[in-house]
Amino acid sequence: GYTEYFSIILFLHIFTFILILLHNIRDKYAITKALNAFILGGLLLGFFFLIGFETDTSFHGRTTIFGVNQNMLGINLSIILILIIHRLIFEKNIDELLKIGFVIFIPILIYFLASTGSRSGFFSLLAGLIILFFFKKNRDLLMKSVYLFFGFILGTSIIFYFLNNKTIGNRIIASAYDGDLSGREKYWETIPKLVDINPFFGIGKTGYSYETELLYGTYTSAHNIFIESLVMGGYVSLFYLFIFLFRLIKQAIINYKRTYNVLNLSLLMPIIIMSLVGHTFGTKISWGIFAYIITEINRNQFKLKSQL
């Protein structure tokens, strides 16, 4: 009964990713412009949320908009907030009207994120902001101290707000004290055993669907990209996945050392968290972040040449 023999969505994500890299050859700022458009889209979603347009609330009180999965929505909102805060604090050439709009929408987007009840979104935002402020390069010790102090106040305020929010606070506390992961721990214990069917090359997506239906009565995601890669593609697939992620992290570190752009490292946090508890390759913004990190050095070299 399983009909998806070819994942057209994943294929289109990879195809778009390649097109982005090719486009970068013609326009070094294309990805930056795309991220700006992503931010504006997030502000528009925040406005829709504020007026209740196409919003819905689940039985557990978790809010969504346009039927988007709450965890995916929470991750996207965390990325938007990281981008906005980075532009406000670390970018000097920013329009005053846009700056005012960002300041107005930050509390709206934080409230929106809390309303989704997404713990992965919360931890992505928190980890991203910690990286953003802690690893910011600054030779002036006073300014470095100011950044750290401001980051501490902002981070503490966000933690306090989320813990006291009825929708997400109880879920965070349950994770911290009871180890509650919404059933993911059961999947992480059972699904990896399916690798024994075909250890080296896996059982494919249709085989995965068939086996999880036998276990749980319906198709069930492992909520962990490493487990799904292991079962669907075996050790070979997992090997190439580790190579890709390792090279991506290495490139982000190289970018940071050469260009002092901490945004590379900060945007890695949602990627890592999605890999552990969700679907990194299932959302378009992940591929946009991949492309941004890969092309960061070339973009900065182009900027230096244009200033000569």
Side-chain angles (χ1 to χ4, degrees), residues 13 38 98 186 229 239 285:
H13 285 166
F38 184 70
L98 189 61
K186 298 178 182 177
S229 179
F239 173 73
I285 186 58

Side-chain angles (χ1 to χ4, degrees), residues 274-291:
M274 274 195 289
S275 298
L276 295 174
V277 299
H279 301 277
T280 309
F281 297 141
T283 175
K284 297 178 181 65
I285 186 58
S286 297
W287 297 95
I289 292 174
F290 296 158

Side-chain angles (χ1 to χ4, degrees), residues 20-277:
I20 292 172
L21 295 179
L22 292 174
H23 192 179
N24 179 72
I25 299 173
R26 298 289 300 274
D27 183 358
K28 302 296 181 182
Y29 297 108
I31 300 177
T32 302
K33 295 173 185 175
L35 289 178
N36 290 337
F38 184 70
I39 292 173
L40 293 178
L43 299 183
L44 184 61
L45 275 186
F47 175 72
F48 287 161
F49 166 73
L50 202 61
I51 64 175
F53 181 74
E54 288 295 329
T55 59
D56 191 23
T57 304
S58 70
F59 175 76
H60 300 288
R62 301 179 65 185
T63 301
T64 185
I65 188 167
F66 295 111
V68 178
N69 175 271
Q70 287 94 338
N71 290 327
M72 194 60 65
L73 183 59
I75 288 286
N76 285 337
L77 289 172
S78 71
I79 294 171
I80 291 166
L81 282 164
I82 290 171
L83 290 170
I84 287 176
I85 293 171
H86 177 269
R87 277 158 174 64
L88 277 175
I89 298 176
F90 302 122
E91 292 189 8
K92 297 179 181 179
N93 300 324
I94 182 172
D95 184 78
E96 288 297 325
L97 185 61
L98 189 61
K99 187 183 295 186
I100 294 173
F102 283 166
V103 172
I104 292 174
F105 268 90
I106 283 177
I108 296 174
L109 293 176
I110 290 176
Y111 174 53
F112 190 5
L113 174 55
S115 299
T116 66
S118 172
R119 290 169 293 192
S120 53
F122 163 72
F123 286 113
S124 293
L125 174 61
L126 185 62
L129 291 180
I130 290 173
I131 296 294
L132 204 64
F133 286 96
F134 188 78
F135 286 94
K136 170 63 179 173
K137 288 278 187 178
N138 200 312
R139 296 180 180 179
D140 189 334
L141 185 60
L142 178 61
M143 287 303 300
K144 179 74 173 179
S145 301
V146 171
Y147 281 132
L148 289 175
F149 177 75
F150 181 77
F152 175 78
I153 296 298
L154 180 62
T156 304
S157 301
I158 289 175
I159 292 173
F160 180 80
Y161 171 73
F162 274 79
L163 289 179
N164 286 275
N165 181 277
K166 184 175 67 174
T167 304
I168 194 173
N170 292 336
R171 303 188 80 231
I172 296 174
I173 293 172
S175 297
Y177 289 97
D178 302 327
D180 176 34
L181 295 172
S182 299
R184 288 181 175 88
E185 64 278 7
K186 298 178 182 177
Y187 303 145
W188 295 345
E189 181 181 353
T190 306
I191 294 179
K193 297 177 182 178
L194 298 177
V195 73
D196 294 334
I197 300 174
N198 190 349
F200 290 100
F201 299 104
I203 58 178
K205 198 166 185 178
T206 53
Y208 178 91
S209 174
Y210 175 75
E211 295 295 338
T212 54
E213 283 183 13
L214 290 179
L215 288 172
Y216 304 106
T218 183
Y219 174 87
T220 304
S221 169
H223 295 285
N224 183 295
I225 191 174
F226 302 106
I227 294 176
E228 290 195 357
S229 179
L230 176 64
V231 175
M232 292 185 189
Y235 294 119
V236 173
S237 175
L238 190 62
F239 173 73
Y240 282 109
L241 175 61
F242 275 127
I243 287 178
F244 178 78
L245 293 178
F246 171 77
R247 294 187 66 180
L248 188 74
I249 294 171
K250 180 181 177 181
Q251 185 66 43
I253 294 173
I254 291 173
N255 291 343
Y256 172 69
K257 290 181 177 179
R258 292 183 180 178
T259 66
Y260 304 126
N261 187 353
V262 72
L263 186 60
N264 292 274
L265 298 178
S266 186
L267 290 176
L268 274 179
M269 296 302 104
I271 296 296
I272 293 173
I273 290 175
M274 274 195 289
S275 298
L276 295 174
V277 299

